[in-house]
Amino acid sequence: MLFFPTRAIVVLQNDAIIYAFPESEGTFALKWVHSVEKEKWIEKFRVNNCQIFLQSTKFKTFGAGVPAITEQVIKQKNGWLVVDLHREIGSELVVRATEINHYKFIFKGKYYPMAASDAPYVIKTERVPFFAL
């Protein structure tokens, strides 16, 4: 049973699995500090049929790199500006974590650090042995 492969959401770096989570849960988030605004951002993603979709993004202020006009409604919730989306990212999401961004991967409310590195992180789904979860 432990070696039986199961589909998982994986965070890879240099093709090595850093984190792996059951795909059946289907959602994850990324939290970081915007490099110009110095404000926290959180983006929520959903996985469906091995494809990653951006569900929502939330941030504190408008500023550099933040569109002032969008097709989506921007709501205020608990001090955050929230935009609900349904944007297909594709089969993988590439993240470049730097010292100033303090990236964290969030799964089921738990935070997993993504250390600053020259090597990018790749988030995707793949089959892994059950013991890797």
Side-chain angles (χ1 to χ4, degrees):
M1 175 75 169
L2 291 177
F3 295 99
F4 185 74
T6 187
R7 187 147 299 279
I9 299 168
V10 295
V11 179
L12 304 158
Q13 194 172 46
N14 294 322
D15 293 324
I17 296 175
I18 306 298
Y19 303 117
F21 307 96
E23 183 185 329
S24 60
E25 300 295 330
T27 61
F28 66 90
L30 290 174
K31 180 178 182 178
W32 75 93
V33 175
H34 189 284
S35 60
V36 176
E37 297 300 313
K38 308 296 188 231
E39 291 286 350
K40 294 176 187 164
W41 279 61
I42 299 176
E43 291 188 322
K44 293 183 181 178
F45 298 87
R46 178 178 52 81
V47 176
N48 187 9
N49 292 327
C50 300
Q51 296 298 301
I52 299 171
F53 295 85
L54 177 59
Q55 282 187 297
S56 68
T57 186
K58 66 182 191 176
F59 48 92
K60 296 282 188 169
T61 62
F62 285 102
V66 182
I69 300 171
T70 68
E71 294 177 10
Q72 292 77 22
V73 175
I74 298 174
K75 301 175 243 173
Q76 274 195 305
K77 290 183 185 176
N78 301 324
W80 291 86
L81 299 167
V82 180
V83 181
D84 292 323
L85 305 160
H86 181 75
R87 182 172 300 144
E88 184 172 355
I89 302 300
S91 61
E92 64 182 36
L93 174 63
V94 178
V95 176
R96 289 222 172 250
T98 66
E99 288 289 334
I100 60 175
N101 297 117
H102 306 284
Y103 267 94
K104 292 181 180 51
F105 186 92
I106 305 169
F107 187 80
K108 293 185 82 172
K110 190 170 178 185
Y111 290 69
Y112 299 86
M114 298 171 75
S117 174
D118 291 334
Y121 290 89
V122 177
I123 302 167
K124 64 181 184 175
T125 64
E126 65 180 39
R127 296 186 77 70
V128 299
F130 185 76
F131 70 81
L133 299 178

